[in-house]
Amino acid sequence: TYNHERFIREAIESVFAQEVDFPIELIIGEDCSTDNTRAIVKEVCEGAKFPVYLLTASRNLGMHENFRRTLESCRGEFVALIEGDDQWLGKDKLKIQVAALLADEKKSFCYHRSKSRIIGPSEEQQMRRGHSDGMIWPEQEIVPASFENLIGRFLIPTASVVFRRALFPTLPHWCNQLPWCDWPLYLLLLDKGDAIFLPFVRSIYCVHAGGVSELVNEKKYHRGAALTYLGVVGGMSRSRRILCTQNALMSWSNWIEANGSLSLESLMVWFRILGRSRESIGLARNAIGRFIFALSPKFFSLLSKARRSL
């Protein structure tokens, strides 16, 4: 949580409302907020019915480091995620999800639908972000909820996820380059086992001006997607490495289109993609073709200038 004074009380109280028959603990990573978030956390958690651990900081650590240290402080068999500006719904959320994971040890995590709550942005901004007030998502049920079926879908609400802690002990440091923490987590978990999707709504996702997602424009989104797919491939099977590289290449093309031209960073990312493409001749050809296409507007512009100077 960071600067969530408008939301943090509801978030914590929605955790306290859970009725479970197993021990739980609440770990709160408070990242040196400049508002009253920390004071509200202390007030709400006083006299809690189960252990609450507040992780503070003398300086702002940033989203990734705060998430990393909070995750590393968890001791339970399962970890349930909730960001400081989101909210759980119902008293049985944790109980149902943990029961589902206990019933199938091959599944790596469990998730469900969420409801969007728009606070502040105009209708035009809401639609541009892909959310409208009261929208239920993900609408479509993906069966099976496997790596292959979910790799290109950024449609897993963070506050809906419960995962096996042993499968994901910490957040890789390459994630620091990304505008998010959750998608690498899901892909790395899915590589170790399919997920369970429960088709009910048990969380609220708040869209507001101070939210991280509001800072991610089209360029940052596609850049982050390309880096995410390149980052997760280590240790995966050949087929999944190729699948990740294909998605990285598509995201790279979208990044170039959104940016309007190549940059030094995007060129370096393309070389990483080309290196990964060595496992598939077709993929390597696709990578080279997309690179030539990305160069063509600039190439033809230079050629036209050269002709005019003759």
Side-chain angles (χ1 to χ4, degrees):
T1 181
Y2 175 72
N3 284 356
H4 287 152
E5 64 179 3
R6 296 175 61 189
F7 314 100
I8 192 64
R9 183 183 298 275
E10 284 185 330
I12 294 174
E13 288 178 347
S14 73
V15 177
F16 289 164
Q18 296 301 303
E19 296 179 354
V20 295
D21 53 3
F22 46 81
I24 63 176
E25 64 180 5
L26 175 59
I27 313 294
I28 303 175
E30 198 289 299
D31 197 15
C32 200
S33 297
T34 58
D35 61 9
N36 292 319
T37 296
R38 187 179 299 187
I40 295 172
V41 168
K42 291 180 178 179
E43 175 198 336
V44 177
C45 293
E46 188 174 353
K49 60 183 179 181
F50 50 76
V52 177
Y53 301 96
L54 173 60
L55 308 179
T56 60
S58 58
R59 61 176 180 83
N60 180 256
L61 301 173
M63 176 177 64
H64 299 86
E65 206 55 50
N66 189 35
F67 181 82
R68 186 177 290 110
R69 63 160 183 164
T70 307
L71 176 59
E72 291 175 352
S73 297
C74 296
R75 300 175 298 167
E77 181 179 355
F78 303 101
V79 174
L81 301 177
I82 178 169
E83 295 179 316
D85 54 354
D86 292 336
Q87 184 182 347
W88 288 347
L89 296 175
K91 298 180 179 181
D92 57 355
K93 169 193 154 66
L94 285 185
K95 191 173 183 178
I96 293 174
Q97 290 190 271
V98 168
L101 287 168
L102 288 173
D104 192 341
E105 295 183 356
K106 293 183 179 180
K107 297 296 191 291
S108 62
F109 71 94
C110 180
Y111 72 104
H112 54 69
R113 290 187 169 117
S114 185
K115 180 167 68 173
S116 295
R117 176 188 292 171
I118 308 298
I119 302 175
S122 67
E123 183 67 25
E124 179 184 351
Q125 289 173 310
Q126 294 173 23
M127 299 309 295
R128 190 172 66 248
R129 301 293 181 184
H131 289 274
S132 57
D133 195 46
M135 184 184 79
I136 305 299
W137 63 288
E139 182 180 357
Q140 184 180 5
E141 181 174 357
I142 307 299
V143 180
S146 63
F147 183 95
E148 287 74 16
N149 287 340
L150 290 172
I151 182 172
R153 303 171 185 266
F154 284 67
L155 291 174
I156 300 178
T158 302
S160 77
V161 172
V162 176
F163 66 92
R164 299 184 190 277
R165 184 173 63 88
L167 296 181
F168 197 90
T170 190
L171 187 73
H173 282 278
W174 55 261
C175 291
N176 291 3
Q177 308 172 66
L178 308 177
W180 46 66
C181 298
D182 53 354
W183 193 239
L185 172 99
Y186 307 149
L187 288 176
L188 291 168
L189 287 170
L190 285 167
D191 186 50
K192 297 173 182 177
D194 291 355
I196 300 171
F197 174 68
L198 300 175
F200 54 52
V201 178
R202 285 295 189 279
S203 64
I204 291 176
Y205 171 70
C206 287
V207 181
H208 58 97
V212 172
S213 62
E214 290 299 294
L215 303 176
V216 182
N217 58 28
E218 190 177 5
K219 296 177 187 177
K220 290 181 180 179
Y221 178 88
H222 294 306
R223 170 189 174 276
L227 293 176
T228 297
Y229 294 129
L230 289 172
V232 299
V233 296
M236 290 187 176
S237 65
R238 178 180 179 274
S239 62
R240 288 183 174 176
R241 290 197 302 270
I242 291 175
L243 190 56
C244 282
T245 307
Q246 288 173 336
N247 277 271
L249 181 57
M250 287 188 290
S251 297
W252 180 84
S253 292
N254 292 332
W255 175 21
I256 300 305
E257 184 178 349
N259 193 53
S261 64
L262 283 168
S263 65
L264 179 59
E265 183 187 22
S266 62
L267 181 60
M268 293 173 66
V269 170
W270 180 81
F271 275 112
R272 289 178 61 189
I273 292 172
L274 185 64
R276 288 287 181 187
S277 300
R278 65 183 182 276
E279 295 182 296
S280 167
I281 294 176
L283 183 56
R285 287 175 176 171
N286 191 5
I288 294 171
R290 286 175 182 261
F291 179 72
I292 293 173
F293 182 79
L295 279 178
S296 60
K298 188 174 183 180
F299 173 78
F300 287 116
S301 175
L302 291 173
L303 183 61
S304 177
K305 289 180 180 179
R307 284 174 175 171
R308 286 198 299 268
S309 65
L310 292 177

